[in-house]
Amino acid sequence: MERHTQETQIVLELNLDGSGRADLSTGVGFFDHMLTLLAGHSLIDLTVKANGDLNVDAHHTVEDVGIVLGEAFGLALGSKSGIRRYGHFTLPMDETLATSAVDFSGRPYLVYRVTFPSPTVGAFDLELVREFWQGFANASRCNLHLLLHYGENGHHIAEAVFKAAARAIRMAVEPDPRQSGIPSTKGVL
């Protein structure tokens, strides 16, 4: 997938049946770290090359990568025939506990109940975590719920959210050996 705007140029490759390999270069170190966790815990192979207007800030880069990743998921899932469709995971990360639930329903919606104790981790603006997941949910047309139960360290909270989402996504996109067609009583997603 590619996305070229006046703010970002992104090239992204995705393999849902991968091993968790990540080759990332967004220019935003903390974001690359989160994407590495996403790939590793969902067992997708992910390559992202992004050049954004980082002289402004990381907002456009992070949001647009979320959009392109969501588009790639939508394309890779196709009709969604044979997948589990739903996934959920509650993940502990030291003092932090986060839950993610996802439904690749074709109806985009994000519920984001995550707060951070400070606005940044290093130079990374933590409100961009929501922007990434909003872009992903909209573009992949999934229903995504992210919930922080508790936590004190911003780095741990961000990690827990990305890892929980990765594990939920992994469950949802896995083949379901009992599901021969589209996982919906409507017959279409």
Side-chain angles (χ1 to χ4, degrees), residues 131-153:
E131 296 302 319
F132 171 79
W133 289 113
Q134 185 71 69
F136 175 83
N138 288 345
S140 68
R141 298 178 44 83
C142 78
N143 187 306
L144 178 63
H145 293 245
L146 299 169
L147 172 64
L148 174 67
H149 300 281
Y150 45 81
E152 298 173 4
N153 179 291

Side-chain angles (χ1 to χ4, degrees), residues 6-188:
Q6 292 183 11
E7 300 164 338
T8 60
Q9 296 79 46
I10 298 168
V11 177
L12 184 144
E13 292 181 21
L14 170 71
N15 177 3
L16 294 181
D17 300 316
S19 61
R21 183 188 56 78
D23 181 13
L24 308 164
S25 178
T26 67
V28 184
F30 186 79
F31 184 47
D32 284 351
H33 177 44
M34 294 300 106
L35 292 175
T36 298
L37 299 174
L38 178 61
H41 285 272
S42 64
L43 293 180
I44 63 172
D45 292 341
L46 180 62
T47 301
V48 179
K49 304 297 180 208
N51 292 307
D53 56 356
L54 297 180
N55 59 312
V56 175
D57 66 13
H59 184 105
H60 298 132
T61 300
V62 172
E63 180 180 36
D64 286 5
V65 168
I67 292 168
V68 177
L69 182 61
E71 290 172 344
F73 261 83
L75 184 62
L77 289 173
S79 72
K80 302 172 190 145
S81 182
I83 67 166
R84 294 191 187 279
R85 175 181 164 180
Y86 299 98
H88 60 91
F89 204 85
T90 297
L91 187 126
M93 174 73 192
D94 296 339
E95 85 297 342
T96 299
L97 187 68
T99 294
S100 174
V102 64
D103 174 10
F104 284 99
S105 63
R107 295 182 308 277
Y109 201 89
L110 176 68
V111 174
Y112 185 83
R113 302 252 168 92
V114 179
T115 58
F116 290 94
S118 61
T120 61
V121 169
F124 186 80
D125 182 353
L126 289 168
E127 69 181 12
L128 297 181
V129 172
R130 178 186 175 87
E131 296 302 319
F132 171 79
W133 289 113
Q134 185 71 69
F136 175 83
N138 288 345
S140 68
R141 298 178 44 83
C142 78
N143 187 306
L144 178 63
H145 293 245
L146 299 169
L147 172 64
L148 174 67
H149 300 281
Y150 45 81
E152 298 173 4
N153 179 291
H155 191 124
H156 293 167
I157 292 168
E159 278 203 26
V161 167
F162 270 82
K163 288 176 180 178
R167 292 288 176 147
I169 289 167
R170 175 178 165 181
M171 180 187 294
V173 303
E174 283 178 341
D176 183 344
R178 297 183 62 206
Q179 181 68 51
S180 61
I182 295 171
S184 171
T185 56
K186 295 177 185 177
V188 66

